[in-house]
């Protein structure tokens, strides 16, 4: 595996050429995006795409997001481009929004897991953008971690999770957004949110009107849910317990008692954690953007500290917090 440092403020053209060559040749390149690190491969080369599933241990039914340089390149990979796509692309690209659209024939079935739709995104990170531009091909990229693990927001997280399974890791520093992109389907009868992210429904509605939520009762006409969202995901090794404000005193006392029995209990706290037996405690920002940008690094850190249990203060139930709450809920889901 080759590690390339590329400064987002001044991306080195020779390093970009090297990484782009590996992508065009069918290799695996992990690279920074504004959300999380992606594990990239040539999206139109089925053998390269197969390597992504292999390296991640990802089930073949979970489709990938295709990353492109700009909206024109995205349009070329969709067989339909509704007016909503045009408006959303203008408003949010480059940025952490993924649009699911009817797929163009050129996209291999392995990218979309056999679905007739494809997920498309134009990332805003300067290194991702420069790399896509240099490579000149669409790049399929899931998060650059082994399946079900916490997504990586630094090159070190990638190296620890995937190591020699990748050809190149491009280190462009920590990812500023910190949680995966918002995924919106435009392939069904109405725009449907498949995965909440830092772009909330409150941001989307002024641009396209009503957005259906995944929690809405399933019906024959509703867009099918995002297959990958059915899994346990984004989960640290430790058992995660979400702490609602009303249960805080009881849950903290109970967890602290567990420390006396030999368990290590850490916390991701928005409020003071009172009991010194709970440590380490990582103090989290009380705004959703600040919280998201630190969330995965904090979970990695508590896993590294050997925590058996992680207590996490439950953030407020508002649209702006939906992405963070979704990831916390998944982190707290027990393995099957
Ligand atoms: O921020 C992100 O989106 C990151 C960076 C690397 O771009 N990527 C990412 O990829 O999170 P991944 O593979 O971890 O998540 C892709 C999500 C999954 O939930 C998958 O089910 C959904 O997108 N998806 C992909 N194609 C789809 C399709 N055709 N229809 C419905 N959902 C789809
Ligand atoms: Mg992922």
């Amino acid at each position: 595996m080759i590690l390339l440092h590329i400064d987002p403020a001044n991306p080195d053209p020779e390093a970009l050429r090297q990484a782009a060559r590996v992508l065009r040749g069918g290799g695996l390149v992990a690279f920074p995006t504004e959300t999380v690190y992606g594990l990239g491969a040539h999206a139109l080369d089925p053998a390269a795409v197969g390597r992504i599933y292999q390296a991640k241990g990802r089930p073949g039914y979970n489709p990938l997001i295709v990353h492109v340089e700009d909206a024109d390149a995205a349009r070329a990979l969709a067989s339909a481009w509704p007016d909503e796509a045009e408006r959303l692309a203008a408003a949010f690209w480059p940025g952490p929004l993924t649009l699911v659209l009817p797929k163009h024939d050129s996209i291999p079935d392995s990218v979309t897991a056999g679905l007739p739709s494809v997920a498309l995104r134009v990332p805003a990170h300067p290194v991702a953008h420069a790399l896509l531009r240099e490579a000149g091909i669409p790049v399929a990229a899931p998060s650059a971690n082994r399946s079900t693990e916490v997504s990586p927001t630094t090159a070190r997280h990638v190296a620890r999770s995937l190591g020699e399974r990748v050809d190149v890791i491009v280190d462009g520093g920590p990812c500023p957004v910190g949680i995966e992109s918002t995924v919106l389907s435009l392939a069904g009868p109405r725009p449907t949110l498949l995965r909440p992210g830092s772009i909330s429904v409150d941001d989307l509605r002024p641009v396209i009107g009503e957005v259906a939520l995944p929690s809405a009762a399933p019906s024959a006409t509703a867009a099918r849910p995002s297959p990958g969202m059915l899994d346990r995901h984004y989960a640290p090794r430790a058992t995660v317990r979400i702490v609602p404000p009303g249960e805080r005193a009881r849950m903290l006392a109970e967890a602290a008692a567990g420390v006396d029995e030999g368990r290590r209990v850490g916390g991701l706290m928005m409020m003071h954690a009172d009991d010194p037996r709970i440590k380490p405690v990582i103090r989290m920002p009380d705004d959703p953007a600040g919280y998201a940008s630190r969330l995965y690094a904090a979970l990695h850190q508590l896993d590294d500290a050997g925590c058996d249990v992680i207590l996490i203060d439950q953030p407020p139930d508002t649209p702006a917090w939906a992405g963070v709450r979704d990831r916390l809920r998944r982190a707290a889901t027990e393995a099957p």
Side-chain angles (χ1 to χ4, degrees), residues 238 241 253-266 277-279 305-309:
R241 300 229 167 89
E254 199 179 286
V259 175
D260 298 334
E261 290 156 21
R263 280 194 289 279
R264 183 179 280 256
V265 180
R277 285 172 294 178
I278 298 174
K279 64 170 190 272
C307 290
D308 302 298
V309 177

Side-chain angles (χ1 to χ4, degrees), residues 6-325:
I6 301 188
D7 179 1
N10 184 21
D12 171 36
E14 186 42 45
L16 286 169
R17 273 197 289 275
Q18 193 181 345
R21 242 186 338 260
V22 173
L23 279 175
R24 277 196 305 269
L28 294 183
V29 176
F31 63 97
T33 80
E34 71 277 30
T35 58
V36 300
Y37 273 73
L39 177 62
H42 193 325
L44 305 182
D45 174 349
V49 172
R51 270 178 219 123
I52 292 180
Y53 286 92
Q54 187 86 38
K56 277 183 69 88
R58 181 175 175 116
Y61 58 76
N62 191 359
L64 307 175
I65 296 173
V66 178
H67 298 66
V68 287
E69 184 195 332
D70 56 25
D72 287 340
R75 215 178 281 115
L77 297 175
S79 64
W81 189 259
D83 183 49
E84 285 95 341
E86 192 59 35
R87 276 185 274 153
L88 289 165
F92 297 108
W93 280 354
L97 177 67
T98 295
L99 297 179
V100 174
L101 288 153
K103 85 176 194 75
H104 189 268
D105 287 342
S106 60
I107 311 238
D109 283 339
S110 56
V111 170
T112 65
L115 294 175
S117 57
V118 61
L120 299 167
R121 149 162 147 78
V122 178
H125 195 288
V127 173
H129 187 257
L131 180 61
L132 289 165
R133 203 192 169 103
E134 180 66 35
I137 50 168
V139 172
S143 52
N145 52 283
R146 296 277 292 163
S147 196
T148 79
E149 286 178 2
V150 176
S151 293
T153 55
T154 66
R156 204 168 72 90
H157 296 155
V158 178
R160 262 194 329 200
S161 183
L162 293 173
E164 294 303 320
R165 295 169 188 270
V166 295
D167 298 305
V168 173
I169 297 177
V170 175
D171 184 350
C175 303
V177 172
I179 59 171
E180 301 82 351
S181 61
T182 303
V183 180
L184 183 76
S185 175
L186 298 177
R190 69 181 86 91
T192 302
L193 185 74
L194 298 181
R195 179 172 72 185
S198 64
I199 294 176
S200 75
V201 290
D202 283 350
D203 301 320
L204 297 171
R205 283 186 180 126
V207 182
I208 52 164
E210 212 37 53
V211 173
L213 300 178
S215 54
S219 77
T221 53
R224 51 179 294 169
S226 207
M229 298 313 285
L230 304 173
D231 292 334
R232 177 179 195 250
H233 245 85
Y234 320 105
R237 278 190 301 278
T239 300
V240 169
R241 300 229 167 89
I242 309 295
V243 181
E247 316 254 338
R248 204 165 189 271
R250 185 187 61 76
M251 287 182 72
L252 262 59
E254 199 179 286
V259 175
D260 298 334
E261 290 156 21
R263 280 194 289 279
R264 183 179 280 256
V265 180
L268 243 62
M269 298 280 156
M270 296 201 284
M271 290 174 278
H272 190 61
D274 296 326
D275 198 308
R277 285 172 294 178
I278 298 174
K279 64 170 190 272
V281 168
I282 298 176
R283 192 60 184 259
M284 297 300 283
D286 59 10
D287 68 291
Y291 193 109
S293 78
R294 300 214 202 142
L295 173 60
Y296 290 153
L299 291 176
H300 282 286
Q301 193 181 325
L302 293 181
D303 254 354
D304 291 350
C307 290
D308 302 298
V309 177
I310 302 175
L311 297 173
I312 305 185
D313 276 326
Q314 181 176 56
D317 188 5
T318 62
W321 281 97
V324 164
R325 285 172 59 99

